[in-house]
Amino acid sequence: MTQCFKGGHDFPIEDEYGAYCEEHGVELIRRTPHPVPLPHPLMPRPAAADEAPPRAT
């Protein structure tokens, strides 16, 4: 459990999103890791390792 920084006790209300202490009015919100950004649809994609490079004609 996470401790309330004002009271030095465990937060009475806590879940995966954050915690709240009614006695001291302290709220803790957990941040999730940033998702991996998707490539822009107009940017060239890297060639797959198993794909043969295009042949020049």
Side-chain angles (χ1 to χ4, degrees):
M1 294 204 72
T2 310
Q3 290 212 337
C4 171
F5 61 87
K6 278 193 171 179
H9 56 85
D10 290 342
F11 278 105
I13 302 169
E14 185 171 10
D15 61 14
E16 65 271 8
Y17 302 108
Y20 182 68
C21 174
E22 292 175 335
E23 181 181 350
H24 298 106
V26 176
E27 184 176 10
L28 174 103
I29 300 173
R30 290 187 175 82
R31 293 181 62 168
T32 59
H34 295 292
V36 176
L38 297 174
H40 191 276
L42 299 178
M43 295 297 291
R45 292 185 293 169
D50 57 351
E51 272 185 32
R55 296 190 329 183
T57 55

